[in-house]
Amino acid sequence: MNLKFALILLTLVSVVADTMLLPFYPQFFSQAFGITSPEHVGYYIAACCFTVMTAFPLWAKLAKKVNELHLWVYTQIAAAILGVVCFYTTDLIMFWVVSQIMLIFKASYLLIYPFVLRLEEKDKHLGMIGLFSVLMHFGAIGGALVGGLVLQVFAPQDVYLIMAASDILQVIVCLYIINRLNVPFAAEVDPVSRDVKIKRPIGFVYKLSVISALFYFSAFMIRPFFSSYWEVISHIDSEIIAGLVYSIPGGVALFALWINHRAKKEHDNFKMICAAFTLGIAGLLLQGSQEMWTVILGRLIFGWAIFQITVRLEVMLFKMSEPSAYAMDFSKMHFFQNLGVIAASFSVGALVSRTDFQMSFFVSSMGFALTLLLFFYLFKAQAKQDLQNELAIEKS
C-alpha cells in the first residue's frame, strides 16, 4: 500500500467518523440527555475545540521523538475505548469528561496533514492542500449523512460505536503500514530539514494565524444551527435532507479542486483570497434570506469562497515554512483557528437564543468584511513584493 494513499484514506475515515454529530448537536443533546439549550450546544463545541487546540501542539512535540504511525496506533486504541464508554454513558457530566479525553487522543490525527506535505515538493502543495480540503468537505458530507441516518433510525449514542469502529480500522491500517514498510518506532530526522533556511517575513505565521482566527470565527457562526435553520424555513422534517443541504460546500469544493488543477497558471494567492472573501459575503447574505432556493444558491457561493480561502491561506503558510517546521507552524495556525471556533461557539448560542437563526448569517458576513479589510492591510505590501520578485525572475 502506498504510504501517501494510506494516509489520505486514514484522513477520510477519521473525518467521516468525527463529523457525524457536528450538524446535529442540538438534536443529539435533546434526544440523548433532554438538553434543549442553544447555549449548552455552543459551550460543548467550544470545549471540544479547546481540547483539540491544546492537545495538538503536544502531539506535534512528541512526534519529534516517536514516529507518527506508531503514535497513531496507541492514540486510536485509547480513542476507541473511550468511544465505547461514551456509548454507555447516560450521565451528562460523565459524557462531557469522557468525550473530551477521547478528543485529546483523536487530536493526534491532525499530524497526518503536515506529515503528507513533508512528502511533497512545495510546488505541489496547492494541489495537495486542495485535496485535503476536499477530503474534509466530503468527509463532512459522509459524516452528515451517516449522522442524520443514525439520529433518524437508531439511538443517538450509536454514533459513538461507529466512531470506535473507525478508530479500530485506522489502527489496523497503521499496523499494516508499519509492518509492510518496517517503520521504526523512533522518529527519523528529515534530511530535507537540513536545507538552506528560508527567509521568513517577521511575524508571518502569526499574521496568517490572526486572519485564520477571524475567518474561522465568521464561517463557524452559521454551522451549529444551520440544520435547525433549514428545517424551519423549508418545513421539511428530515435530518438526511438537512445533512445534504449542509454538505453542499463539499460538492463545490470538489469542483473548485478540479478548476484549480486545470488552471494553466497558479493564480496570485493574495488576489484569490480577497475575491473569495467578497464572494463569501454575498453567499452568507443569500443564505440568510429564509427563501429555500436562495439559501441553496448562497450555500453554493459560500462553498466556493471558503474552499479558496482555506486552501490559499494554508498555501501561504507552508510556502514560507520549512519541512522540519511544518507540524509546529501548522499547530500555531490551528490553535488560532480553534480560538475563532471557540469564540463563535460561545457567541452563536447566545445570539440565536436572544434573536433568531437569521442573525447568525448577518454577523458572519460582517466578520468576513472585517477579515477582508485586515487581510488587505497586513499583506498588500508582501503581495506587492512577491509580484516584483516574480517579474524580476521572468526578466532574467
Side-chain angles (χ1 to χ4, degrees), residues 122 195-201 318-323:
K122 281 184 179 287
D195 286 350
V196 177
K197 300 293 183 180
I198 297 173
K199 185 178 180 181
R200 296 150 59 104
F318 289 110
K319 181 179 180 180
M320 300 309 302
S321 184
E322 303 164 7

Side-chain angles (χ1 to χ4, degrees), residues 67-349:
N67 186 279
E68 287 94 334
L69 286 163
H70 286 275
L71 189 63
W72 293 327
V73 169
Y74 296 105
T75 56
Q76 293 309 109
I77 289 175
I81 294 172
L82 291 165
V84 174
V85 176
C86 285
F87 168 75
Y88 285 107
T89 299
T90 56
D91 180 76
L92 181 62
I93 296 177
M94 181 61 70
F95 171 79
W96 266 71
V97 173
V98 175
S99 63
Q100 296 307 307
I101 297 174
M102 179 184 71
L103 287 175
I104 291 175
F105 291 100
K106 283 184 174 290
S108 65
Y109 254 78
L110 291 171
L111 292 168
I112 291 180
Y113 188 34
F115 186 92
V116 172
L117 287 177
R118 289 208 310 270
L119 304 176
E120 288 285 344
E121 299 293 332
K122 281 184 179 287
D123 59 358
K124 296 181 180 179
H125 278 182
L126 176 61
M128 185 57 66
I129 292 172
L131 175 61
F132 265 87
S133 181
V134 168
L135 287 176
M136 300 299 276
H137 280 296
F138 270 85
I141 288 176
L145 292 176
V146 174
L149 178 64
V150 171
L151 290 178
Q152 195 162 305
V153 179
F154 303 101
Q157 287 92 339
D158 290 347
V159 168
Y160 285 93
L161 285 183
I162 299 174
M163 288 185 184
S166 74
D167 293 332
I168 295 302
L169 174 61
Q170 293 169 62
V171 169
I172 293 171
V173 173
C174 285
L175 289 173
Y176 174 80
I177 297 172
I178 290 170
N179 183 65
R180 180 73 180 271
L181 302 179
N182 295 318
V183 179
F185 181 81
E188 297 180 357
V189 177
D190 186 355
V192 180
S193 66
R194 300 191 185 100
D195 286 350
V196 177
K197 300 293 183 180
I198 297 173
K199 185 178 180 181
R200 296 150 59 104
I202 298 174
F204 190 85
V205 173
Y206 292 103
K207 289 178 183 178
L208 276 176
S209 296
V210 170
I211 295 298
S212 293
L214 290 173
F215 165 56
Y216 273 73
F217 168 82
S218 304
F220 199 86
M221 284 293 292
I222 69 169
R223 290 177 65 180
F225 298 98
F226 181 84
S227 60
S228 301
Y229 168 73
W230 170 257
E231 290 176 354
V232 169
I233 66 167
S234 67
H235 307 292
I236 300 174
D237 186 19
S238 170
E239 283 85 359
I240 295 177
I241 299 296
L244 283 171
V245 178
Y246 176 89
S247 303
I248 284 175
V252 178
L254 181 61
F255 176 71
L257 178 65
W258 179 74
I259 292 294
N260 285 354
H261 178 71
R262 287 182 60 86
K264 294 182 179 179
K265 59 177 290 187
E266 185 174 322
H267 295 286
D268 181 79
N269 291 316
F270 179 80
K271 292 180 180 178
M272 288 292 291
I273 290 173
C274 290
F277 268 118
T278 304
L279 284 174
I281 294 169
L284 285 164
L285 293 175
L286 288 173
Q287 288 180 83
S289 67
Q290 298 187 351
E291 294 294 333
M292 209 169 74
W293 294 108
T294 307
V295 170
I296 292 176
L297 175 62
R299 200 87 181 130
L300 290 166
I301 297 173
F302 180 72
W304 173 273
I306 60 173
F307 175 82
Q308 295 295 349
I309 295 169
T310 302
V311 169
R312 299 287 173 166
L313 286 176
E314 293 180 3
V315 167
M316 290 178 69
L317 174 73
F318 289 110
K319 181 179 180 180
M320 300 309 302
S321 184
E322 303 164 7
S324 60
Y326 281 177
M328 288 307 301
D329 283 348
F330 180 63
S331 71
K332 293 173 186 176
M333 192 173 188
H334 183 268
F335 185 90
F336 277 83
Q337 288 171 351
N338 279 275
L339 280 180
V341 174
I342 288 174
S345 301
F346 279 115
S347 303
V348 69

